[in-house]
Amino acid sequence: MISEEGDYLNDGTHTLILNASGDWEGVSDELKGIFQLVLRQPVSHGQLGAQIMDKIDEIKHSKTGGRKYMELTGAFWQDARDAGIKIGERRGKKVGREEGRKEGTDEAIIKLIPDLVALTNDRQAVIKILMTKMNLSQEQAESYYKRAMGQG
């Protein structure tokens, strides 16, 4: 890899940078399928993207994988809460500490829902995770879901 100045980094690695949002002309169907996965779109190209999604589902629904998945989502939501609190505290100086904290938490939840959807591909599972990990009512969780997915 070459740095901006043109010097080789000499770190022994090879880095391939792909732009999933760019022009897909000349891109193989397999890579298009992976791009769709990254962009949280239904996979309609190639087999590799669908195979990856199937493997994620298999791991999530296995006894060991499911437990690990819940541990990871727990850590994920703790990070989301921490990020929300930081955003809220920054904004809190201008609009009041509590209002800023809530606004930051709301923002973090809304930004993270599409990632959960990409992982689970199951609306009800996302709603359940929101209710459990964020102590929300079903109505609140569904409201966040709709806002995050552009439905409300």
Side-chain angles (χ1 to χ4, degrees):
M1 185 170 175
I2 301 174
S3 69
E4 284 183 25
E5 293 82 28
D7 298 326
Y8 286 92
L9 298 179
N10 293 321
D11 62 358
T13 63
H14 297 276
T15 303
L16 179 62
I17 300 172
L18 302 170
N19 181 1
S21 299
D23 181 5
W24 292 5
E25 186 177 330
V27 174
S28 74
D29 278 348
E30 296 302 328
L31 190 52
K32 286 178 187 175
I34 292 172
F35 283 168
Q36 287 176 312
L37 199 62
V38 168
L39 295 171
R40 297 183 198 97
Q41 299 173 353
V43 177
S44 61
H45 292 282
Q47 295 178 2
L48 190 55
Q51 289 172 342
I52 292 169
M53 197 65 222
D54 288 345
K55 194 63 170 173
I56 290 170
D57 284 341
E58 180 184 318
I59 290 167
K60 264 191 331 195
H61 293 97
S62 72
K63 196 171 195 173
T64 307
R67 200 170 27 253
K68 185 67 176 171
Y69 171 75
M70 289 309 289
E71 288 171 12
L72 289 172
T73 57
F76 176 82
W77 282 110
Q78 184 59 50
D79 291 347
R81 281 190 291 268
D82 292 347
I85 289 168
K86 285 179 185 174
I87 291 168
E89 286 174 349
R90 274 184 268 151
R91 289 191 178 171
K93 292 176 184 174
K94 293 181 183 174
V95 295
R97 192 171 203 97
E98 279 307 307
E99 187 176 321
R101 189 177 297 243
K102 181 185 178 340
E103 192 175 308
T105 301
D106 287 353
E107 220 175 274
I109 291 170
I110 289 167
K111 285 183 180 178
L112 293 170
I113 287 173
D115 293 329
L116 277 178
V117 170
L119 286 172
T120 67
N121 207 18
D122 180 349
R123 181 183 187 279
Q124 282 309 106
V126 172
I127 298 295
K128 185 175 180 181
I129 290 168
L130 289 172
M131 291 169 63
T132 304
K133 298 296 180 183
M134 299 304 290
N135 297 319
L136 299 174
S137 69
Q138 182 158 352
E139 184 178 298
Q140 290 170 316
E142 287 176 354
S143 174
Y144 277 115
Y145 184 92
K146 287 177 182 174
R147 288 170 53 198
M149 302 309 288
Q151 301 169 351

